[in-house]
Amino acid sequence: MRMLWCSAALRLAFLLPTIGTSAPSPPTELFSPLVAEKVLRTALSPPTPAQYPQYTDRAAGDWLYFAPDTWTSGFFPATLYALHARAQLCRWPAANAAQWLALGRRWSAAEVPLAADNTVGHDVGFLSYPFVAELAVNPHNATAITAVNRFASDLAARFNPVVGCTRSWDTPNPVDFEVIIDNMMNLEVLFVSASLTGNKTLQNIAISHANKTMQNHVRPDGSSFHVVEYNATTGDVIARFTAQGYSNSSTWSRGQAWGIYGFSNSTSPTLSLYMHTQHPDYLTTARRMASYFLTHLPSDGIVPWDFNAPLTPPRPADSSAAMAAVNGLILLSQQERSLSPPNITGSTYYLNAAIQLLGVNTKLAWRPAWQSLLANGTVNNPEGNNLTGIVYGDYFFVQAGNELVSMGLMSC
């Protein structure tokens, strides 16, 4: 397993020379006053009836809003909770911290009914983000506990034991069982609910899904398919293809980032695939996917929408994929350090790679005049939705800053 990160470090040295030689510095924009100012401005102007920002227009960078029953609606309230966590990390005044917590709870309110009735399907894991964050503040919050458990039940109901996965997209023919790499991000709600209820079935569903994803989504070179279609009756793989990438044989960067994050997730020892199971394949898979991501970056280090898309016409960047990958790499670094004995070399390598990726992509995407924190995001390039700010890119940007402070690598 150690050969993987050593080999990756050697290849990456040609692309990002600072990695492995000296520690890069995180971008100062992470703690710019504009971060709190812009998020607060949006939080204090909620639409009526309740709607949630998802992405911006391409000209002025103004948020476009969507109904609560949308897969991205959990990210803005989760960002408010992340700024509450930052207020504590940075020792901001107590009143300031209380304001962020109150805003997080207020913006989560329109999501509460979704726990009983939603059309989001597999992405209930993303809806659960603010409620999981609330439980970190108040583990006894009954509303948050109920929401997390109901969202987990929704996801578990999409599990097919023959396929071994939770269904992602519904299809006209129920025998066609489609699973997307994004679903690695939704497994966390199953682990959280299992820790709340003691329901081991939820944990087993998450592990089964991760195992099948390793087997059928991840290619031998560490790249990934976006979609794997199974036969719901036999469990056989019918097809592997893309919906948001360049081609069926290419690697969509945000899907690759979801994989790095999902297999590296070490939010706590009880929620981590690897830390909970001690199954070395999860860590090995995270390393392989990280290696592909880092060694297939262009020379400028900007994350493209798809690693294999042609350069002409110019392929758009995706800052949201970059920020998701940054957080996944930080989690992978923490996993390496948690081993016994710790893999300090591997941990340092992934951490430096994360900070380098963060700096380069922040520099390109930072837009002081926009309502979003970052621009240059690609929502869905085949549909022409690119060059925007994206709410989940902003969320992972704020989270990256919090992680670096909590690790003692940055000051507020």
Side-chain angles (χ1 to χ4, degrees):
M1 289 188 291
R2 292 176 181 246
M3 287 294 291
L4 285 169
W5 57 257
C6 287
S7 175
L10 290 172
R11 292 194 300 272
L12 190 59
F14 293 99
L15 295 174
L16 303 175
T18 57
I19 296 176
T21 56
S22 60
S25 299
T28 57
E29 290 88 351
L30 281 173
F31 287 89
S32 165
L34 283 174
V35 172
E37 288 173 15
K38 292 206 285 185
V39 176
L40 183 61
R41 196 176 302 128
T42 299
L44 293 176
S45 304
T48 303
Q51 292 182 303
Y52 291 87
Q54 181 178 156
Y55 55 86
T56 70
D57 64 45
R58 298 172 61 171
D62 292 340
W63 284 119
L64 302 180
Y65 287 82
F66 293 79
D69 196 9
T70 305
W71 76 272
T72 54
S73 62
F75 284 104
F76 187 71
T79 301
L80 298 171
Y81 275 99
L83 284 168
H84 169 254
R86 179 169 295 191
Q88 296 179 309
L89 284 168
C90 297
R91 302 179 185 276
W92 292 351
N96 190 287
Q99 181 186 32
W100 288 115
L101 181 58
L103 286 170
R105 288 170 171 167
R106 186 183 310 164
W107 274 80
S108 300
E111 275 201 84
V112 172
L114 299 179
D117 183 24
N118 69 79
T119 63
V120 172
H122 67 105
D123 277 326
V124 289
F126 288 126
L127 296 185
S128 75
Y129 275 22
F131 301 105
V132 173
E134 171 64 35
L135 292 177
V137 177
N138 177 11
H140 305 293
N141 185 299
T143 299
I145 291 171
T146 298
V148 167
N149 288 337
R150 285 182 174 174
F151 286 138
S153 294
D154 280 357
L155 184 57
R158 301 179 70 83
F159 181 72
N160 179 322
V162 176
V163 174
C165 290
T166 58
R167 180 189 287 271
S168 296
W169 296 327
D170 295 328
T171 55
N173 182 351
V175 175
D176 297 334
F177 193 100
E178 293 183 348
V179 179
I180 59 176
I181 188 74
D182 317 41
N183 238 16
M184 285 300 300
M185 300 293 289
N186 287 305
L187 301 184
E188 184 173 319
V189 71
L190 298 175
F191 281 106
V192 177
S193 183
S195 70
L196 292 170
T197 63
N199 185 347
K200 297 296 184 183
T201 299
L202 298 176
Q203 173 186 303
N204 293 337
I205 287 172
I207 291 171
S208 175
H209 185 99
N211 289 343
K212 284 291 185 176
T213 302
M214 280 194 301
Q215 179 181 340
N216 294 317
H217 272 84
V218 184
R219 302 182 182 110
D221 65 355
S223 65
S224 57
F225 293 98
H226 182 194
V227 188
V228 175
E229 185 175 299
Y230 296 87
N231 182 305
T233 304
T234 67
D236 295 335
V237 172
I238 300 171
R240 294 178 174 91
F241 57 95
T242 193
Q244 289 182 248
Y246 170 68
S247 73
N248 292 342
S249 60
S250 70
T251 300
W252 174 50
S253 64
R254 192 162 71 242
Q256 190 74 7
W258 293 148
I260 298 168
Y261 191 107
F263 284 109
S264 300
N265 191 1
S266 58
T267 323
S268 79
T270 59
L271 304 185
S272 163
L273 278 170
Y274 174 70
M275 292 300 290
H276 190 86
T277 63
Q278 293 297 303
H279 196 316
D281 286 351
Y282 296 132
L283 184 57
T284 300
T285 300
R287 288 168 173 166
R288 290 173 55 225
M289 297 192 78
S291 176
Y292 183 92
F293 194 103
L294 295 170
T295 58
H296 285 77
L297 290 168
S299 59
D300 59 8
I302 301 300
V303 177
W305 142 70
D306 188 294
F307 286 109
N308 308 112
L311 302 180
T312 306
R315 60 186 180 185
D318 187 4
S319 57
S320 73
M323 297 306 137
V326 164
N327 281 267
L329 290 167
I330 291 173
L331 294 172
L332 180 53
S333 172
Q334 293 170 345
Q335 291 282 29
E336 298 286 6
R337 190 168 289 269
S338 71
L339 297 177
S340 182
N343 180 2
I344 300 302
T345 303
S347 176
T348 301
Y349 165 68
Y350 290 122
L351 181 61
N352 286 351
I355 294 172
Q356 181 78 39
L357 197 66
L358 180 61
V360 170
N361 286 273
T362 297
K363 182 178 181 180
L364 175 71
W366 184 251
R367 293 290 189 278
W370 283 32
Q371 290 182 351
S372 62
L373 302 177
L374 302 177
N376 279 89
T378 295
V379 177
N380 190 329
N381 197 62
E383 295 184 357
N385 193 340
N386 55 36
L387 300 178
T388 71
I390 303 179
V391 69
Y392 40 90
D394 282 5
Y395 167 75
F396 285 116
F397 177 75
V398 174
Q399 281 289 94
N402 287 2
E403 286 293 331
L404 293 175
V405 170
S406 67
M407 295 169 71
L409 300 170
M410 245 189 130
S411 62
C412 302

